Each structure stands twice: as structure tokens, then as C-alpha cells.
Amino acid sequence: MVFAYAAGAEDLIPRLSRFAKGVHKEQPYTNVQDYLEIFAGENREVLYHRVEQWERSDFREMILCILRGDAKEFRKALLHSVRHTRKMYDMGGSLFGPWAYACVKIARKYGIEVEPVRVIELLDWNFDETPIDRERWKLPLQDEIDEWLSKY
């Protein structure tokens, strides 16, 4: 869900959230509902206390800064996330930082001015939100995939 949000595919989030909830039925709690509320920009105070309970991570720290409205600390957390990603290149196999992208988009939604961070992980701060023409750029077997996802 976070990767879809970072990529600007917000229309996929409800379908992915239904799928994620289905996968995690045996677990009493997942962050899926928290993600949905964060993406929607709702319930700041309630969310802050729930996010504090998440396992410690760069994503958690960035979200907490956003929910506090602290632009300076958010930038520090964003840079820390980039440094952490750079330490993991051999494991991740990608330079792209979708968690950081998602957090920048969330910060903007919450009205936080984010000073650009010019690093390769954020693709030179490219936040072009041009919608994808899904009819023109259909994936092979897209109809089957959509049918399968609609079951969740």
C-alpha cells in the first residue's frame, strides 16, 4: 500500500488494503488501518498514539514527525532514512526509496513545507502526479488480475 501511495496509484489502495486485511486474518492487529487513515489525513492525535506503538523504523519516525507537524525533524528523519537505504543496497537491489517518497507526499498533504532533498533515492525530487492512462498501458493479464483482486 505504501508503495502504491508513493507511486501515485491511490486508486489501488482500497483494493490492496482489502487484500492485506485478508492475508493477515490470523494476526490481531496490522498497520493497514493506520496507513489508510494517514493517507487520508485524518485523526492526527489518535493516530500519533497508535503510530508510537509501531516497531521502531525510519518510516515510523518520519510519520511521527509529520503528525507532530515538525518540518525540521521530518527533514532529519528523511535524511536518516536515505542513509539507512544506502547501507542496504546489497539487500534491496534498488536505489528508489518508496517509504521516503510516501512520507514526503503525506507531509505535503498535512501542510508541511518540505525542503527538497536532492538525492538519487528520491529521483531528484520528481513528484510529477500525472495520472497513468490505465487503458493505454494495461499489463498482460490485467483483467484476470483485477478479477482476482476483487475477491479480497
Side-chain angles (χ1 to χ4, degrees), residues 8-9 29 62 82 97 110 127 142:
Y29 176 77
M62 288 186 284
V82 168
Y110 278 79
F127 285 93
Q142 185 64 51

Side-chain angles (χ1 to χ4, degrees), residues 47-58:
L47 274 172
Y48 188 86
H49 296 294
R50 289 199 329 236
V51 172
E52 279 185 314
Q53 306 305 312
W54 291 2
E55 185 176 327
R56 193 168 183 83
S57 68
D58 293 332

Side-chain angles (χ1 to χ4, degrees), residues 81-96:
S81 172
V82 168
R83 287 186 200 103
H84 188 250
T85 301
R86 288 180 177 177
K87 291 178 187 176
M88 308 289 274
Y89 281 154
D90 57 335
M91 292 174 62
S94 172
L95 295 175
F96 176 66

Side-chain angles (χ1 to χ4, degrees), residues 1 14-27 30-34 36 152:
M1 285 181 6
R15 291 164 59 189
L16 292 171
S17 69
R18 285 196 308 271
F19 174 72
K21 288 176 186 174
V23 168
H24 298 291
K25 285 179 185 173
E26 70 281 352
Q27 295 179 358
T30 66
N31 296 343
V32 171
Q33 190 60 40
D34 295 346
L36 293 174
Y152 293 95

Side-chain angles (χ1 to χ4, degrees), residues 66 70-72 74-76 78 100 103-117 122 125 127:
I66 291 167
D70 191 338
K72 186 176 179 180
F74 173 72
R75 184 174 167 76
K76 286 181 186 177
L78 184 62
C103 284
V104 170
K105 288 180 69 173
I106 293 166
R108 288 179 172 177
K109 180 176 264 185
Y110 278 79
I112 296 173
E113 283 292 321
V114 183
E115 185 181 332
V117 177
L122 296 175
W125 211 252
F127 285 93

